[in-house]
Amino acid sequence: QGQLVESGGGSVQAGGSLRLSCAPTERTYTSACMAWFRQTPGSEREVVATWHSGRRFTTYADSVKGRFTISKDDAQNSLDLQMNGLKPEDTGMYYCAAGCRGNYGNGRGAAEYVYWGQGTQVTVSS
C-alpha cells in the first residue's frame, strides 16, 4: 500500500515539454496530499508542485510557476505534472510523494510525506 510508480521522464531540448505521471501500485490507494519533488546530485530534494484534495489548491516552486501544471486524474488515479518551456536547470530526478505525515503543514517539505516513488529522470539540454 502506498507504493508509487513514476513515468514520462526523458531527454528534451530547452523549450520542450514532458508530462510525468505517478500512480500507486495498489490501484485503490488514495492520498489527500501528493506532490512532485526533484533532486540533482549533491542537492537536497526540493518541492516542484503540491496538490491537496481537502484544501483544493495547488502550489508551485517559484522557478516553475507559469510553466508546470500539477493535476489529479481521478479516473486513472494518477498525479500528473505537465512541464512546458523546459529549461536546462529543470534537469534532475523527479519523485512523486504521497501520504500525509502527522507533521503535514504546507506540503512543501519532503519530511511531510510517507510514500515515495523510485523517480524518473528528466534531462533538458541547451
Side-chain angles (χ1 to χ4, degrees):
Q1 177 178 354
Q3 290 181 309
L4 306 169
V5 178
E6 302 98 337
S7 61
S11 297
V12 296
Q13 291 191 330
S17 298
L18 286 173
R19 187 176 184 86
L20 306 184
S21 186
C22 167
T25 55
E26 173 54 58
R27 292 182 63 83
T28 60
Y29 172 76
T30 59
S31 175
C33 57
M34 300 184 75
W36 285 97
F37 284 76
R38 67 186 178 194
Q39 188 171 23
T40 55
S43 299
E44 292 189 357
R45 202 165 289 190
E46 64 174 2
V47 68
V48 174
T50 69
W51 173 89
H52 193 287
S53 64
R55 300 176 186 178
R56 298 190 179 276
F57 67 81
T58 57
T59 69
Y60 298 90
D62 288 343
S63 61
V64 307
K65 282 181 181 177
R67 300 187 297 121
F68 290 12
T69 303
I70 189 172
S71 60
K72 185 69 164 52
D73 185 333
D74 290 332
Q76 299 296 324
N77 194 25
S78 66
L79 183 75
D80 300 329
L81 185 68
Q82 178 65 43
M83 305 186 295
N84 299 327
L86 283 161
K87 304 176 180 180
E89 51 264 44
D90 294 320
T91 295
M93 186 70 79
Y94 282 68
Y95 296 92
C96 177
C100 325
R101 287 193 181 275
N103 64 348
Y104 185 85
N106 61 16
R108 301 174 72 82
E112 297 177 65
Y113 297 91
V114 177
Y115 303 110
W116 293 85
Q118 294 299 306
T120 185
Q121 178 68 35
V122 171
T123 302
V124 185
S125 58
S126 57

